[in-house]
Amino acid sequence: MGVSITFLGAAGTVTGSKYLVRCGDQSLLVDCGLFQGYKQLRLRNWTPLPIAPDQVDAVLLTHAHLDHSGYLPLLAKEGYRGPIYASAGTRDLCRVLLPDSGHIQEEDAAFANRHGFSKHTPALPLYTRQDALDCLPLIKTVHQRKTFQPLPGWRATFQPAGHILGASSILLEVAGRRILFSGDLGRPDDSLMNPPDAAPAADTVLIESTYGDRSHPQDNLLAELGPALQRLAARGGVAVVPVFAVGRAQALLHAIAQLKANGTLPHGLPVFLDSPMAVHTTHLFEQHPGEHRLSRDAVHAMTHAATMVNSTDESKALASRHGPMVILSASGMATGGRVLHHLAHHAGNHRNMVILTGYQSPGTRGATLASGARTVRIHGRDVEVHAEIVQLESASAHADATQLLDWLRNSPSRPDQVYVVHGDLEAADTLRARIERELHWRALVPEHGSTWPC
């Protein structure tokens, strides 16, 4: 009985991870993510899947980031009623991320309708907060490193992948074939997370390639962030820091706590974490002590490194404060959420600073800012950019190209095929070429919608 995989996302792009695995009359999805970035990619979120949701038998989640989990509320809304298998950390994060995603979509649609800048009348959310809440009971927790049966005759093993709380690589075994999904792999030297487990033996490997064409710099986050915030404090400006609420926000808080403790930054520099989702996620580090490197004291310092902003009124009140201050706010690529209001308010002042904290997917506002553009479009209008733009190169929670190759190289056996996924075309193809040249393994970058044997 043949096993096949259809690439319904993250093929030639870095978002929308969805991999449909079929064997006989059974099928399951590994990951169920949203497309982000370019509009033509985001429009795919509105295109029905080539399989009816009620024909999918199970879903396995590598981790909770929205480009891997954010389509789940829509899948359930359209009829999926099967299990969603995830680690405990991923379950806890999905309880935070998915309702917040629905809420932000509702807010953005309402804002567009009030101000009339949408081409659709009325603008509608892809799904609502209630849709997200409705899908959460489908999540079934599995233990990492313990094999289970997601479907009769199928075996799956989740193993720690670093990256963020709960993140896993998944080994799927069916019909005598072993298929390994890397998920998003963390860095072996990450400041927060433990290193990924070694890759197990597999016949087919799907390897992420977010940083498939580059290496991380030698400088660490403290060496990059410290001088930038020193400059900001000296001129009394406001730093707007778009952060991913899960992972990146906590890495920045941990770094700021260290910079204040070692005297690099003044203890009185005000820092605000303006993202309820990031606030909730930060406190989850207290509940999952085995999954990260931080001691109890370091977790305490991280959770007290900023004033936690929860309500909309508290967020709006920040606009009336003067610098110096630092505002960390989601989303990390400035695609939506409260950070857009802070950017619109502060980007035009030359004393201020926008700190980009990692990879900015093409088509996002973050990528526009990183390119040096003098205007950025926010809520239907062009906002002038005079603030200093700082792009941190060391804050990424993804393994770089050499670390990805090392993870593959240390596998106990040579796979029959490697599919390079979850990267922009240049990054994915660069990693593919290195796999073929350095490891002498078969590798290809699948096209969106294509089906290949496993």
Side-chain angles (χ1 to χ4, degrees), residues 193-267:
M193 301 305 301
N194 294 323
D197 277 12
D203 304 300
T204 299
V205 178
L206 279 71
I207 181 74
E208 68 121 323
S209 58
T210 309
Y211 282 81
D213 60 347
R214 70 201 83 174
S215 297
H216 295 314
Q218 294 301 311
D219 283 345
N220 62 26
L221 181 55
L222 299 184
E224 277 197 292
L225 184 63
L229 292 184
Q230 283 179 325
R231 293 196 304 276
L232 178 89
R235 65 184 185 236
V238 176
V240 178
V241 189
V243 289
F244 298 101
V246 178
R248 201 64 49 85
Q250 293 73 42
L252 268 290
L253 289 175
H254 178 51
I256 288 170
Q258 291 177 291
L259 291 168
K260 287 188 174 183
N262 67 23
T264 301
L265 296 179
H267 281 273

Side-chain angles (χ1 to χ4, degrees), residues 368 394 421:
T368 299
S394 59
V421 297

Side-chain angles (χ1 to χ4, degrees), residues 172-196:
L172 191 62
E173 301 171 86
V174 60
R177 302 296 291 174
R178 297 166 300 173
I179 311 160
L180 176 62
F181 300 82
S182 73
D184 284 0
L185 289 174
R187 303 167 64 170
D189 57 348
D190 189 85
S191 63
L192 291 182
M193 301 305 301
N194 294 323

Side-chain angles (χ1 to χ4, degrees), residues 291-302:
E291 293 189 34
H292 56 78
R293 298 179 186 268
L294 302 187
S295 66
R296 181 179 296 180
D297 288 344
V299 171
H300 181 269
M302 178 181 71

